[in-house]
Amino acid sequence: QQQVKQSPQSLIVQKGGIPIINCAYENTAFDYFPWYQQFPGKGPALLIAIRPDVSEKKEGRFTISFNKSAKQFSLHIMDSQPGDSATYFCAASSLFSGSARQLTFGSGTQLTVLP
Amino acid sequence: DVKVTQSSRYLVKRTGEKVFLECVQDMDHENMFWYRQDPGLGLRLIYFSYDVKMKEKGDIPEGYSVSREKKERFSLILESASTNQTSMYLCASSVRGYNSPLHFGNGTRLTVT
């Protein structure tokens, strides 16, 4: 079962547009929500992350909005550029046992930014 | 910079073969993970290890096993490869901690024919 649901599966925007990727979760044990960015031929890399006691986090052109009561969070990319074309994964972290943590990923969004 | 190295970029194996995927990290990370990536399904956790000789099942462990004899090396084993194990396999590592990021290798594209 998909514990973290991500949409849309693909997204095409013009340069300068603001793509928005949405994620939703059910498990209230999740307590940390990172986003990963993956370019073709590369492994995913951490882009930005948020804790559930914060409603918004911004790093450069990337912003996470977090709605704890709705169990939803989203990634906004301001002034998108062709170089932002990549696959984006939302994720949710929970404690597995002791101090070991487990990361559950969404299904991914393939973003294309047209020049 | 953390480096996670996966031994092969592409592998082609036959059904029923025993397959070893190797992963090495150079930053003394306690945690290591194996994910498989399939279109529309995202990254699904197969196994992870939070210490040498320790292993825990992830969401899809069936048909796989792992070995971690040394801290820097985490191996994924397909005991008898099947066509439904054709996929991209990603290894990752991290330090212990609440907000520790995962550092991924570039993946191994395995095709089972």
Side-chain angles (χ1 to χ4, degrees):
Chain A
Q1 69 280 18
Q2 194 87 49
Q3 290 197 55
V4 179
K5 294 186 179 180
Q6 182 171 347
S7 62
Q9 191 170 353
S10 64
L11 191 52
I12 301 174
V13 299
Q14 294 284 342
K15 178 183 173 182
I18 306 175
I20 301 172
I21 304 170
N22 299 298
C23 287
Y25 65 97
E26 288 296 326
N27 188 350
T28 55
F30 291 141
D31 59 5
Y32 187 65
F33 301 87
W35 286 84
Y36 282 76
Q37 179 188 52
Q38 183 181 31
F39 293 106
K42 301 291 187 184
L46 178 66
L47 179 65
I48 186 173
I50 195 167
R51 292 166 23 183
D53 56 346
V54 175
S55 61
E56 184 175 281
K57 183 171 182 182
K58 183 181 285 190
E59 285 186 4
R61 296 182 294 104
F62 299 91
T63 300
I64 302 177
S65 298
F66 189 85
N67 185 329
K68 188 174 182 178
S69 61
K71 300 196 196 80
Q72 295 175 348
F73 57 111
S74 59
L75 177 70
H76 301 230
I77 306 176
M78 307 302 289
D79 187 27
S80 59
Q81 302 295 312
D84 297 329
S85 296
T87 300
Y88 292 81
F89 294 96
C90 62
S93 177
S94 59
L95 195 62
F96 176 76
S97 70
S99 60
R101 301 191 63 84
Q102 184 173 345
L103 200 58
T104 302
F105 285 86
S107 55
T109 296
Q110 189 166 349
L111 172 67
T112 303
V113 181
L114 301 174
Chain B
D1 254 7
V2 177
K3 192 164 186 184
V4 178
T5 304
Q6 295 184 230
S7 55
S8 305
R9 185 77 181 100
Y10 298 97
L11 270 181
V12 180
K13 297 293 182 180
R14 294 195 179 277
T15 301
E17 278 193 80
K18 189 168 187 175
V19 182
F20 293 85
L21 302 183
E22 306 287 345
C23 175
V24 177
Q25 50 97 1
D26 67 355
M27 284 302 290
D28 203 36
H29 284 175
E30 295 88 359
N31 301 324
M32 295 191 76
F33 307 81
W34 277 105
Y35 286 88
R36 66 177 279 177
Q37 181 176 4
D38 299 287
L41 296 177
L43 281 72
R44 293 179 293 166
L45 182 63
I46 304 171
Y47 267 97
F48 66 102
S49 168
Y50 54 89
D51 205 346
V52 177
K53 297 193 187 293
M54 304 299 290
K55 59 184 179 183
E56 295 290 345
K57 293 180 180 178
D59 298 318
I60 52 164
E62 296 80 17
Y64 303 95
S65 63
V66 290
S67 172
R68 193 167 181 202
E69 297 296 318
K70 292 185 178 181
K71 191 174 186 179
E72 67 271 18
R73 187 179 296 271
F74 193 34
S75 303
L76 180 69
I77 303 155
L78 287 66
E79 295 289 342
S80 178
S82 64
T83 55
N84 63 12
Q85 292 178 308
T86 292
S87 186
M88 172 67 80
Y89 290 88
L90 290 163
C91 175
S93 70
S94 74
V95 297
R96 287 197 188 116
Y98 164 74
N99 59 352
S100 299
L102 264 61
H103 298 268
F104 283 89
N106 288 334
T108 295
R109 170 73 65 184
L110 173 67
T111 301
V112 183
T113 62

